[in-house]
Amino acid sequence: MNTNHSELTVITKSKDLCSYVITITQKSPKQFRFTFVSRMQNLSLDVIEYLYIANDTFVMKGDTAAWRQRLEFQHKAMTSLKLLSYFSLLALENKCIIQRQYEQISRQSVECMNLLGGWINSDKRRLQS
């Protein structure tokens, strides 16, 4: 995947996660197309959307309204990652995806959540200094 060097790592990793989810769910049984498949794909796309919006929210020191707006989208991305993890577990339990695929989604989701948490904490430190 060709990535922009100035792109946040969390965005790059989320794109990788989304690409993986879309790739593996294409092979899922048709009976799950409108349940697990569409939810997992949409949640992974939502994560990228929220991260881009958060990143494009310009925050200056003392601008609490902009900071709250960015934080809101960061939290939406975090919630979507948690939901994606949960839906992937349900998909595994219902034999929509296999164990290896579930483990990969879990690993990548946790990595994205950790990076996102680091970004949120970095913003807090920067705005409090």
Side-chain angles (χ1 to χ4, degrees):
M1 175 177 272
N2 193 4
T3 59
N4 181 350
H5 292 293
S6 64
E7 190 169 74
L8 289 174
T9 304
V10 67
I11 293 175
T12 303
K13 296 293 184 178
S14 295
K15 285 179 176 179
D16 293 343
L17 172 60
C18 182
S19 178
Y20 183 74
V21 167
I22 289 172
T23 299
I24 65 155
T25 54
Q26 303 250 342
K27 298 173 186 148
S28 295
K30 287 183 182 181
Q31 71 197 49
F32 299 117
R33 184 172 295 146
F34 298 108
T35 54
F36 301 121
V37 171
S38 63
R39 290 291 286 153
M40 291 169 59
Q41 289 177 348
N42 287 333
L43 284 166
S44 64
L45 290 166
D46 288 347
V47 170
I48 295 167
E49 179 180 348
Y50 295 141
L51 291 175
Y52 269 118
I53 294 170
N55 194 42
D56 285 346
T57 302
F58 183 71
V59 178
M60 290 178 37
K61 187 173 179 166
D63 187 353
T64 56
W67 180 78
R68 275 192 215 114
Q69 183 180 18
R70 176 185 275 186
L71 187 61
E72 177 184 344
F73 285 104
Q74 289 170 325
H75 281 223
K76 285 182 177 188
M78 186 70 78
T79 300
S80 293
L81 284 164
K82 290 175 183 178
L83 285 169
L84 175 60
S85 294
Y86 174 68
F87 281 114
S88 66
L89 175 61
L90 284 177
L92 171 67
E93 290 171 351
N94 286 279
K95 299 183 180 20
C96 175
I97 61 174
I98 60 174
Q99 181 73 32
R100 183 176 44 83
Q101 294 167 332
Y102 166 71
E103 290 169 359
Q104 184 66 20
I105 291 171
S106 294
R107 259 192 305 278
Q108 288 181 292
S109 295
V110 166
E111 182 178 20
C112 290
M113 285 187 257
N114 288 337
L115 289 166
L116 180 53
W119 181 21
I120 292 169
N121 289 334
S122 172
D123 275 357
K124 285 180 184 176
R125 283 191 303 274
R126 186 170 55 91
L127 293 167
Q128 290 172 352
S129 62

